[in-house]
Amino acid sequence: MDRLNVLSSHIGAPEVHPFRLTSGDVEQDRAMSKIKALADEVGINLSGARVRRTSSRFCLAVEHGDYNGTELFGVGTDRFIWLAYKPRSDNKVNIASVNFKHDGKLTFTLGQSPTLNEEISHSWARFPYGADNVLKAAGYNLTKGFDAVLYGNIPGGGMSRSASLSINMILTMFEVNSITPKNLDSNGKSYEIVELAQKVETDYIGSPSGYLDQIMIYYAKAGLGTHFIPATKEIRYVPLGCDPKDFSIGALDTGTDRPGLEKSTYKIRKDECDLISSVLAKRFPGVKTVADLTPSQYETAMKEFSGKYPGPCQRMRYIFEAKGRFSTLLAAWKAGDIKTVGSVFREDGHGLRDIYKISGPELESMCDIVRTVPGVLGERMLGGGDKGASGCIIEAGSEQHVLAAVSSGYPRSRPEMANKWAVHFVKVCDGVAVLDGLL
């Protein structure tokens, strides 16, 4: 079966659809149809409800740089979570997920969400509970609840569905309670949302999440790259120097299920980076993270610490080298030199695989397959690592060739995933939108 533009469920098993190239409007209509059907089934009245739509993301550089202090660059992509919501007059929340219909309706009182336990940790309920818990801890008194149904089509692992849902929940709770986030910028954005969404994962769920995902979704703008400078928390929007139709971004869903970051190689790598950062801070005044190292300090650190800390020093090497490639990628994006963007993307992938050692066999099978296709400019794993999705940057017109190669090669390479994989070609889009008149 062809699987171009197939949709995957949000934090659940993928839905399998026949071959089709669908527009954003068609996908949104399908999402609304699913939401309406479940609302009727569980007894939630969504007549006149608003819809908050939050995107996925595609990191161009530096993957795993957020918790190492590097600058970041990426885009929002048009795989979404739609949350249809209607305010209530009391402090109750009734919410259901199309992707987990068998769970029925989740009901809780704001400010009284349960603490995390084993059952919740394996449920999508950890996100609405986590948002409520984090806002309460931040001192927000939520008195108005809402009725809601959500649906997501973000591919599994690598495109940040958990961050998308966390942002969606927090923004919805703020709006329903007429709360304005702190320190809004000229675009009406507040970095507080990034921090609160990150805390849903770090403080409530116990996942060692960085902030790359939250930034690339929350601040994303259609047609623009998002450049984050950690020293000042500054966001710069970078226009693309060519016609967006000249290339495509592909997400290659391996069909694998990745555990939470707290159960993955991600946590091990973050611990290694935290360790080497603490060593560097003692050795070099003013250095707090790997990204702070000068070239001479890096050379000294590799000589002095590689023997005692071989693994952490290899993680340091990847970050230092990827940081060095960052300006090349950014300049290429501005100039519309997509071949160079793809080349740097590929080189980063080799570093993630061989030096940072956070990829996985299925992710690399996808990369190996598409690397052979004419028109593929770069490919690598995406996101937290181990499982999930890889990504590719390709010349326009090569989409069907990529699909054909994956259709043929991936099931032979990974027969256990023969009916689970998917290929998505995505567009750069706004990270957050509020839509009226859909229900």
Side-chain angles (χ1 to χ4, degrees):
M1 181 187 297
D2 290 318
R3 289 190 175 82
L4 178 60
N5 216 27
V6 174
L7 305 183
S8 295
S9 296
H10 171 69
I11 316 181
E15 300 176 54
V16 177
H17 297 273
F19 167 75
R20 60 174 174 260
L21 281 171
T22 52
S23 70
D25 288 342
V26 171
E27 290 304 333
Q28 189 152 278
D29 289 345
R30 184 178 293 116
M32 293 306 102
S33 177
K34 290 175 178 289
I35 285 172
K36 288 176 184 177
L38 183 59
D40 290 342
E41 184 179 325
V42 299
I44 291 179
N45 178 11
L46 292 179
S47 176
R50 305 190 87 180
V51 176
R52 176 167 279 102
R53 189 186 70 191
T54 45
S55 74
S56 49
R57 63 87 171 153
F58 195 92
C59 174
L60 291 162
V62 170
E63 199 80 80
H64 296 272
D66 49 347
Y67 55 89
N68 284 294
T70 72
E71 296 180 28
L72 307 173
F73 188 65
V75 294
T77 46
D78 63 345
R79 292 297 180 268
F80 298 112
I81 290 173
W82 291 267
L83 180 73
Y85 60 99
K86 193 171 182 179
R88 294 174 58 89
S89 59
D90 58 19
N91 61 353
K92 303 291 184 183
V93 172
N94 295 308
I95 185 170
S97 168
V98 172
N99 304 102
F100 293 94
K101 290 192 290 186
H102 59 276
D103 287 348
K105 181 170 61 178
L106 175 69
T107 299
F108 66 97
T109 301
L110 289 169
Q112 299 179 28
S113 55
T115 56
L116 191 76
N117 57 35
E118 184 67 19
E119 180 180 1
I120 294 171
S121 72
H122 294 287
S123 166
W124 68 275
R126 65 191 186 273
F127 294 99
Y129 286 159
D132 177 49
N133 185 280
V134 163
L135 292 179
K136 180 181 179 181
Y140 287 106
N141 181 28
L142 305 180
T143 59
K144 300 293 184 182
F146 54 91
D147 296 324
V149 176
L150 68 90
Y151 170 68
N153 69 4
I154 299 176
M159 297 186 78
S160 308
R161 53 195 182 178
S162 59
S164 185
L165 180 53
S166 297
I167 290 168
N168 205 319
M169 293 303 308
I170 288 169
L171 289 174
T172 300
M173 289 178 177
F174 268 20
E175 181 196 319
V176 169
N177 284 274
S178 301
I179 296 171
T180 301
K182 299 172 184 175
N183 302 317
L184 294 177
D185 63 18
S186 59
N187 292 301
K189 298 288 187 178
S190 167
Y191 194 78
E192 181 189 22
I193 300 301
V194 170
E195 295 173 326
L196 290 169
Q198 182 187 20
K199 286 181 178 180
V200 171
E201 300 196 55
T202 58
D203 293 12
Y204 184 79
I205 297 173
S207 176
S209 170
Y211 49 75
L212 184 157
D213 301 346
Q214 295 83 359
I215 288 170
M216 293 304 154
I217 292 170
Y218 178 61
Y219 285 100
K221 282 190 176 184
L224 298 172
T226 303
H227 178 195
F228 177 71
I229 302 170
T232 58
K233 296 181 180 177
E234 180 185 358
I235 297 290
R236 295 178 183 174
Y237 291 107
V238 184
L240 175 64
C242 67
D243 190 329
K245 295 179 182 178
D246 290 347
F247 72 102
S248 287
I249 294 173
L252 312 169
D253 188 348
T254 64
T256 54
D257 294 323
R258 191 188 68 199
L261 294 180
E262 69 279 6
K263 304 168 187 175
S264 70
T265 304
Y266 181 103
K267 183 179 187 304
I268 297 171
R269 295 294 173 262
K270 186 176 185 304
D271 288 345
E272 288 178 325
C273 291
D274 289 345
L275 171 60
I276 199 64
S277 292
S278 67
V279 172
L280 295 172
K282 294 175 183 177
R283 177 63 176 84
F284 304 108
V287 170
K288 296 180 180 179
T289 66
V290 172
D292 295 330
L293 288 173
T294 66
S296 62
Q297 288 172 334
Y298 169 74
E299 293 297 333
T300 298
M302 289 297 287
K303 290 177 182 177
E304 293 186 3
F305 304 128
S306 289
K308 186 174 182 180
Y309 305 107
C313 281
Q314 286 299 293
R315 315 317 160 221
M316 177 177 66
R317 175 188 164 193
Y318 159 73
I319 293 296
F320 186 82
E321 292 178 354
K323 176 191 171 187
R325 292 186 287 267
F326 184 88
S327 60
T328 301
L329 183 141
L330 196 64
W333 176 273
K334 292 178 182 178
D337 180 4
I338 299 302
K339 287 186 178 179
T340 297
V341 171
S343 177
V344 174
F345 190 78
R346 175 175 287 163
E347 197 170 353
D348 281 355
H350 294 163
L352 288 160
R353 179 193 66 196
D354 301 331
I355 303 172
Y356 212 70
K357 294 187 181 297
I358 200 165
S359 190
E362 297 88 359
L363 298 172
E364 291 306 316
S365 289
M366 278 292 193
C367 290
D368 291 342
I369 291 165
V370 301
R371 192 178 296 120
T372 67
V373 178
V376 173
L377 305 174
E379 67 295 309
R380 66 164 169 80
M381 57 143 287
L382 298 175
D386 293 339
K387 306 289 183 180
S390 294
C392 61
I393 299 171
I394 67 174
E395 294 176 340
S398 297
E399 292 87 352
Q400 293 290 351
H401 300 299
V402 169
L403 175 64
V406 175
S407 298
S408 173
Y410 190 68
R412 289 203 305 265
S413 174
R414 302 290 167 186
E416 70 279 12
M417 298 296 158
N419 297 313
K420 296 181 179 181
W421 62 272
V423 174
H424 307 248
F425 294 108
V426 295
K427 297 178 181 178
V428 177
C429 67
D430 289 335
V432 180
V434 177
L435 311 168
D436 292 310
L438 296 181
L439 295 168

